[in-house]
Amino acid sequence: MLHDQPGHLLQSLLENPTFRCWAEGRCAEDGAVWQKWAAEHEDGQAILRQAVEIVRAIPVRDEHLTEEYIQSKVSDALQAAKRQEQLENSRKKDSFFPVFLSGWNVAASLLIVAGLGFALFRIYHHAHPAPKVVQTSPPANALKEVANMERPFKYVQLPDGSSVVLHRNSTLKYPRAFTGQKREVYLTGEAFFEVTKNPEQPFFVYAEELVAKVHGTSFSIKAIADEKEITVAVKTGKVSVFSERASPTLLLTCNQQATFERSHAKFVRSALKSPVLLNIPIENQEFNYSETPAAAVFDALAKAYGVNMVFDRNSLAHCSITATLGDEPLENKLKWLCTILEAKYTITEDSITITGNPCN
């Protein structure tokens, strides 16, 4: 068993982004890693429990917390820690060794002091922000945020080519490049996903308390902050859903839905006649074409994904397409279509442009 000062161990946990991800419920699958950590350190369980309480009491990611709110949460955490210490001390009164020599007694005191120090550090920086540093480019691991506040739905292309159709009043955060062992995105609101298959780099969606692990598929998520339920509906493929607050993990397949009841912290599975959750065209649209005019195909894609398609209608007037396009992301569909038409496409944030020679 490893020996170290409890205060140092607590600080190392609080500064570890992987631990904070687990403590906040965004990486529930890492639970075994931190239980192993606790077993390898003296008073590990107590330190781990206190670190979780501090992280949950003071959400590090929320930049809009008031100083009064943080102070109230610190007070709550300290009271909980003191009650735990008193309970442990009462259990040890009959012990052969004096209470003041108890390893937990020392650890708990250090944990409380370290937790308060961490909280005061957060409060100080909230009131005295560091001077801004001018950067010519964002950090490689910075999250990009896309918000759709006006349009009925908006197309977002992720760095791996995956497609997201973002519903109105929804926000998606994702890295500028998927460089780690996981592809992770963060959703607030509603969105439809078509995920590029890559078993070597699994795809995770964090939506409030719910986490969806994707196996290369298409599905919808509805995770609105103030609503009582979070829902996932699968169109094709498989999606595993889980939450730190509920067990076990549910595996959903085609035309299945899982609803996470937040008040009861439980999942409810149901079968669907169709995977319509957000009432947007792409959820139940089929991309089957038989000698269909190319212009009509591109118009259908524009409608389904909520993206502006720019092309020369006169040039495509005599072009037709026969193809079946499945649940692959939009860019894969464009590759197939442009191969058929011997054309090229260019994707920008606001539109997709198709260029090529006229068909004979």
Side-chain angles (χ1 to χ4, degrees), residues 34-55:
W34 297 109
Q35 291 303 320
K36 180 181 178 183
W37 181 95
E40 293 175 346
H41 293 82
E42 186 174 4
D43 291 321
Q45 286 290 349
I47 296 170
L48 187 71
R49 182 169 58 250
Q50 183 67 13
V52 170
E53 289 176 358
I54 293 173
V55 168

Side-chain angles (χ1 to χ4, degrees), residues 187-191 207-208 210 221-225 229-231 262:
L187 172 68
T188 300
E190 305 167 88
E208 300 293 329
L210 181 144
I221 293 184
K222 185 176 183 179
I224 299 174
E229 298 176 340
I230 304 172
T231 307
R262 302 171 88 166

Side-chain angles (χ1 to χ4, degrees), residues 74-236:
V74 171
S75 177
D76 292 344
L78 289 176
Q79 292 301 319
K82 290 176 181 177
R83 286 195 298 270
Q84 182 65 30
E85 183 180 13
Q86 291 170 356
L87 177 62
E88 293 294 327
N89 286 341
S90 66
R91 290 175 178 173
K92 295 181 179 181
K93 284 183 178 179
D94 297 329
S95 173
F96 177 79
F97 295 100
V99 172
F100 65 85
L101 293 179
S102 163
W104 164 250
N105 195 40
V106 176
S109 299
L110 287 174
L111 290 176
I112 293 172
V113 173
L116 179 59
F118 176 71
L120 293 177
F121 175 83
R122 287 269 299 138
I123 293 171
Y124 176 83
H125 281 272
H126 180 79
H128 306 85
K132 293 184 178 180
V133 178
V134 178
Q135 295 180 324
T136 56
S137 60
N141 61 347
L143 292 180
K144 181 176 181 180
E145 179 175 321
V146 177
N148 180 23
M149 298 301 166
E150 298 177 354
R151 297 160 59 176
F153 49 94
K154 179 178 182 178
Y155 171 69
V156 180
Q157 179 169 308
L158 298 181
D160 64 341
S162 296
S163 296
V164 182
V165 180
L166 197 61
H167 206 279
R168 180 182 288 165
N169 297 325
S170 300
T171 302
L172 184 72
K173 296 181 182 180
Y174 57 92
R176 297 179 184 276
F178 292 123
T179 56
Q181 296 180 344
K182 304 175 184 177
R183 293 172 289 167
E184 298 176 303
V185 302
Y186 304 88
L187 172 68
T188 300
E190 305 167 88
F192 176 85
F193 292 81
E194 287 175 333
V195 177
T196 300
K197 296 177 177 64
N198 182 359
E200 302 301 319
Q201 194 181 36
F203 190 99
F204 290 83
V205 182
Y206 299 93
E208 300 293 329
E209 298 104 310
L210 181 144
V211 183
K213 181 180 180 181
V214 184
H215 305 273
T217 188
S218 60
F219 61 99
S220 301
I221 293 184
K222 185 176 183 179
I224 299 174
D226 297 331
E227 292 196 356
K228 298 179 180 180
E229 298 176 340
I230 304 172
T231 307
V232 178
V234 177
K235 181 178 179 182
T236 60

